[in-house]
Amino acid sequence: MKTHWEEELKRAMSDQSEPFPGHEERFEMRLMQAQKPKGRTITLPRWPWMAAAAAVVVGLIVTLVTSEIHKANHMADDSLKDLHIPEIAAAETYYKKYATVDFNSLNTNDPRIQQFAREMKRLEDEYAKLSQLLAQNYNNERIAQAMVENFQFRLKIMEQLRKYIEIQNQLKNPNNEQQIAS
Amino acid sequence: MQLQPWDEIIAGCRNRSVAAQSTAYRQSWRVVFPAVYGLLRNREEAEDVMQDGYVKAFARIDELREAERFVPWMKSICMRHALDKLRAKQRQNKWFPDFEAHTHSEHAPDETVEWQSEQLTRVKAAMDQLPEGYRVVIRLYLLEDMSHEDVAEMLGITPGTARSQYSRAMKKLKQTVTELT
């Protein structure tokens, strides 16, 4: 049994407070966020795939432009020692071993090949800087991604170079002209 | 606003439908919010705690047996959540202070006359000055119409303690009102 004082107090303290406007919309946002599946943040599994893809493309290039590619460049980049991602280190080693173009063995008077050489040099320099940056910022995904893209660009340039040399060889081969004429 | 039947809404909530959860919120916050706000006395914080309580409650909606009991169930969850928040804030202070009644009956506020606006202002100010624990037991017992047993269960104390703390809280409140007069 409540006293008169208690009843008055109850009446006095009863309030019909409301949240700030827009709270229903804010709640819906909260519900949607709560139902979002927790996405994976680790992206390392991409590295083996990249290494495998790079190996396949590099293998093709090696077969087709054997004369232009040195097979034994074991030059180790100091920055590579600072890297602790085994996948990227393996891909880089493989790339350096089988996919380095010796432009000196090509016709360096050809302006098109000079252009390929400049672009490769620029990407190699950029890669060296990225390696140093990654060593300092080990968890920075954007740097790692830039390194992957750097590989991809270099592979594209090599593919274009291969096609260019193939066309040049066909043009120089007199049999081709005879085949076309017949 | 046309109310949707609770059994339909809760069925949707059990299927993790955001639309159903949103409808449940829209149909019940008017009951839940004042209780949470009454404990926390901060609209922004009360909204945050209440909405957090809803999200957590929806995650365990299967524990709700009767759809029609959704509102009291949700209110209870959100109030517990608010009490946890208060306890975390009050960790450094004593939840229930030692209190010796010094209330003299001749100075006690008049219990028979209708409260005037001045008296109301004084009572509200006195409530604000009460230690958190006292304010909470008054609110739960008086404003939420909970029994001393329910208050005890919610606060994790014995019913006897709930009863005695309520009694002390009321004495303290009357004393403070008198001092403000």
Side-chain angles (χ1 to χ4, degrees), chain A:
Chain A
M1 180 73 185
K2 291 185 173 70
T3 65
H4 176 76
W5 206 85
E6 286 175 323
E7 292 295 343
E8 288 290 348
L9 178 64
K10 185 178 176 180
R11 197 163 29 249
M13 297 310 296
S14 297
D15 52 43
Q16 292 302 313
S17 308
E18 292 189 1
F20 289 110
H23 69 100
E24 291 180 341
E25 291 74 19
R26 286 194 291 280
F27 181 64
E28 277 183 21
M29 294 279 287
R30 206 165 176 155
L31 281 176
M32 283 188 271
Q33 278 178 345
Q35 294 214 344
K36 259 187 198 170
K38 301 278 184 290
R40 288 181 63 191
T41 52
I42 299 168
T43 54
L44 280 178
R46 288 159 66 184
W47 294 111
W49 179 86
M50 283 308 305
V56 170
V57 179
V58 167
L60 271 172
I61 295 165
V62 167
T63 310
L64 294 167
V65 288
T66 313
S67 60
E68 286 81 20
I69 295 174
H70 283 268
K71 289 188 176 180
N73 185 353
H74 295 287
M75 185 181 70
D77 189 346
D78 286 343
S79 62
L80 189 61
K81 291 173 188 169
D82 295 327
L83 292 179
H84 301 289
I85 302 172
E87 290 84 359
I88 196 168
E92 187 171 336
T93 306
Y94 191 91
Y95 179 87
K96 287 192 168 176
K97 189 174 180 183
Y98 295 109
T100 304
V101 180
D102 182 2
F103 284 95
N104 294 328
S105 66
L106 299 175
N107 180 6
T108 49
N109 293 325
D110 186 331
R112 187 85 172 109
I113 289 179
Q114 283 175 359
Q115 194 186 346
F116 279 125
R118 279 197 301 275
E119 190 58 20
M120 285 296 277
K121 177 77 172 63
R122 188 188 68 76
L123 286 167
E124 281 166 10
D125 292 346
E126 188 183 276
Y127 187 85
K129 285 177 192 166
L130 287 170
S131 296
Q132 286 170 355
L133 278 176
L134 188 66
Q136 290 160 11
N137 305 280
Y138 179 63
N139 289 322
N140 193 319
E141 263 187 39
R142 291 178 66 187
I143 298 174
Q145 183 62 32
M147 289 172 78
V148 173
E149 285 170 6
N150 185 288
F151 270 133
Q152 289 172 330
F153 277 128
R154 279 197 269 177
L155 289 169
K156 277 180 190 169
I157 289 169
M158 289 173 75
E159 177 66 11
Q160 285 173 359
L161 176 63
R162 180 192 67 76
K163 281 181 183 168
Y164 178 76
I165 292 168
E166 194 177 34
I167 292 165
Q168 292 297 309
N169 288 341
Q170 281 175 357
L171 289 172
K172 283 175 191 170
N173 188 350
N175 292 334
N176 286 341
E177 288 171 14
Q178 284 170 10
Q179 281 171 5
I180 291 165
S182 62

Side-chain angles (χ1 to χ4, degrees), chain A residues 2 4-6 8-10 12-13 15 17-20 23-24 26-28 30-31 34-35, chain B residues 16 18 21-22 25-26 29 33 37 43 47-48 51 111-112 114-115 120 123-124 142 145 166:
Chain A
K2 291 185 173 70
H4 176 76
W5 206 85
E6 286 175 323
E8 288 290 348
L9 178 64
K10 185 178 176 180
M13 297 310 296
D15 52 43
S17 308
E18 292 189 1
F20 289 110
H23 69 100
E24 291 180 341
R26 286 194 291 280
F27 181 64
E28 277 183 21
R30 206 165 176 155
L31 281 176
Q35 294 214 344
Chain B
R16 306 286 183 261
V18 170
Q21 291 172 342
S22 184
Y25 176 82
R26 284 170 198 270
W29 68 261
F33 185 79
Y37 174 74
R43 279 170 82 190
E47 181 189 321
D48 183 54
Q51 292 190 349
E111 296 200 9
T112 53
E114 196 81 358
W115 286 10
L120 279 176
V123 170
K124 284 183 177 178
L142 203 61
D145 279 324
Y166 175 73

Side-chain angles (χ1 to χ4, degrees), chain B:
Chain B
M1 185 176 74
Q2 195 175 353
L3 296 181
Q4 205 176 321
W6 278 111
D7 52 349
E8 280 178 22
I9 299 172
I10 300 307
C13 291
R14 290 189 208 281
N15 290 326
R16 306 286 183 261
S17 155
V18 170
Q21 291 172 342
S22 184
T23 307
Y25 176 82
R26 284 170 198 270
Q27 281 192 197
S28 58
W29 68 261
R30 282 179 183 79
V31 177
V32 178
F33 185 79
V36 175
Y37 174 74
L39 292 170
L40 296 171
R41 292 179 300 169
N42 177 307
R43 279 170 82 190
E44 202 174 354
E45 197 173 24
E47 181 189 321
D48 183 54
V49 166
M50 175 183 71
Q51 292 190 349
D52 199 39
Y54 269 83
V55 171
K56 284 180 177 158
F58 285 138
R60 41 184 266 221
I61 191 75
D62 293 335
E63 291 174 21
L64 176 68
R65 290 179 188 170
E66 297 168 51
E68 295 298 326
R69 297 282 304 153
F70 175 79
V71 179
W73 180 72
M74 184 59 78
K75 186 174 166 184
S76 167
I77 289 174
C78 291
M79 283 173 70
R80 282 171 200 274
H81 203 35
L83 286 171
D84 288 343
K85 188 92 175 175
L86 273 183
R87 281 199 195 93
K89 277 188 184 176
Q90 291 287 313
R91 210 163 280 152
Q92 302 302 319
N93 305 324
K94 291 183 85 173
W95 182 254
F96 293 117
D98 297 326
F99 173 66
E100 289 178 19
H102 296 295
T103 313
H104 302 292
S105 56
E106 60 270 28
H107 293 129
D110 192 339
E111 296 200 9
T112 53
V113 295
E114 196 81 358
W115 286 10
Q116 300 302 310
S117 62
E118 215 174 292
Q119 174 79 335
L120 279 176
T121 310
R122 272 196 295 273
V123 170
K124 284 183 177 178
M127 273 292 276
D128 284 343
Q129 287 180 24
L130 280 185
E132 208 71 73
Y134 284 168
R135 207 174 50 76
V136 167
V137 285
I138 290 177
R139 182 158 279 278
L140 295 182
Y141 177 76
L142 203 61
L143 276 80
E144 301 301 333
D145 279 324
M146 292 170 77
S147 66
H148 286 305
E149 285 71 23
D150 289 341
V151 173
E153 197 266 320
M154 188 163 267
L155 295 178
I157 54 179
T158 64
T161 306
R163 197 171 280 110
S164 66
Q165 289 302 333
Y166 175 73
S167 173
R168 288 178 177 194
M170 289 300 285
K171 278 182 183 171
K172 177 73 177 168
L173 181 68
K174 287 177 182 177
Q175 182 190 340
T176 312
V177 171
T178 307
E179 284 167 4
L180 291 172
T181 307

